[in-house]
Amino acid sequence: MTIRLTTAAAAIALLLGGNWALAGDKPTDPQIAHIAYTAGVIDVEAAKQAIATSKNKTVVEFAESMVRDHESVNKQALDLVKKLNVTPEDNDTSKALSQAAETKRSELAKLTGADFDKAYVENEVAYHKQVNGALETLLIPSAQNAELKSLLETGLKLFQGHQQHAEHVATELK
């Protein structure tokens, strides 16, 4: 089974503060695929919220780049999963990610102006740090398929760049 998830896998930006619902269990490749896709969708939704809310050009441009990257990868992932007839497996981690993201979006929706910008960008920094940690410590080591593992590693490199970009934007907002 081959799952092309390149950057979507890196979008496992856990808004859970590091609490993996799978706890000590290693996720299977179909679960990894579902977690990665879910996390990609979550980051797109957060970015769209920022685009609609922020008046700061730098924040909007950052959010637009998140939408572009994550939507592109999720489309590639979906196309390949369909082609290979692989069914991503829903799991507690994906469900917890979705619930945490909904909570975060609600928190951000109460903010405006510079307060929103700062909170959104700080969340993106934390989100990408968490993604990178999850890739390094759980997802890459758990992936059984060699191509999936390789793509997760590629995604890790890309999302380390996203983290640096978010950190740079955060610095500009101070």
Side-chain angles (χ1 to χ4, degrees), residues 98-144:
S98 294
Q99 186 168 2
E102 187 176 323
T103 299
K104 181 52 79 174
R105 279 192 306 275
S106 294
E107 290 172 12
L108 289 173
K110 296 173 186 171
L111 302 174
T112 59
D115 291 335
F116 173 86
D117 294 339
K118 184 176 184 214
Y120 166 71
V121 173
E122 285 176 357
N123 186 63
E124 284 295 296
V125 170
Y127 187 76
H128 286 91
K129 279 183 184 177
Q130 197 64 41
V131 165
N132 296 336
L135 282 165
E136 289 175 324
T137 63
L138 181 65
L139 299 178
I140 291 170
S142 298
Q144 298 300 305

Side-chain angles (χ1 to χ4, degrees), residues 43-157:
D43 207 27
V44 167
E45 290 170 351
K48 287 181 177 180
Q49 182 181 23
I51 292 166
T53 304
S54 182
K55 305 294 184 232
N56 183 300
K57 181 182 175 191
T58 303
V59 171
V60 170
E61 288 173 353
F62 172 77
E64 288 170 345
S65 72
M66 295 300 101
V67 170
R68 222 177 12 256
D69 286 356
H70 294 293
E71 282 186 343
S72 172
V73 171
N74 274 358
K75 182 186 180 321
Q76 292 173 12
L78 281 179
D79 290 348
L80 189 59
V81 165
K82 285 179 190 174
K83 176 184 163 192
L84 299 174
N85 198 27
V86 170
T87 303
E89 183 182 326
D90 196 4
N91 56 79
D92 289 343
T93 298
S94 294
K95 291 173 187 170
L97 281 169
S98 294
Q99 186 168 2
E102 187 176 323
T103 299
K104 181 52 79 174
R105 279 192 306 275
S106 294
E107 290 172 12
L108 289 173
K110 296 173 186 171
L111 302 174
T112 59
D115 291 335
F116 173 86
D117 294 339
K118 184 176 184 214
Y120 166 71
V121 173
E122 285 176 357
N123 186 63
E124 284 295 296
V125 170
Y127 187 76
H128 286 91
K129 279 183 184 177
Q130 197 64 41
V131 165
N132 296 336
L135 282 165
E136 289 175 324
T137 63
L138 181 65
L139 299 178
I140 291 170
S142 298
Q144 298 300 305
N145 179 277
E147 187 173 352
L148 174 59
K149 188 178 290 260
S150 174
L151 291 171
L152 292 170
E153 291 167 346
T154 299
L156 174 60
K157 291 175 187 162

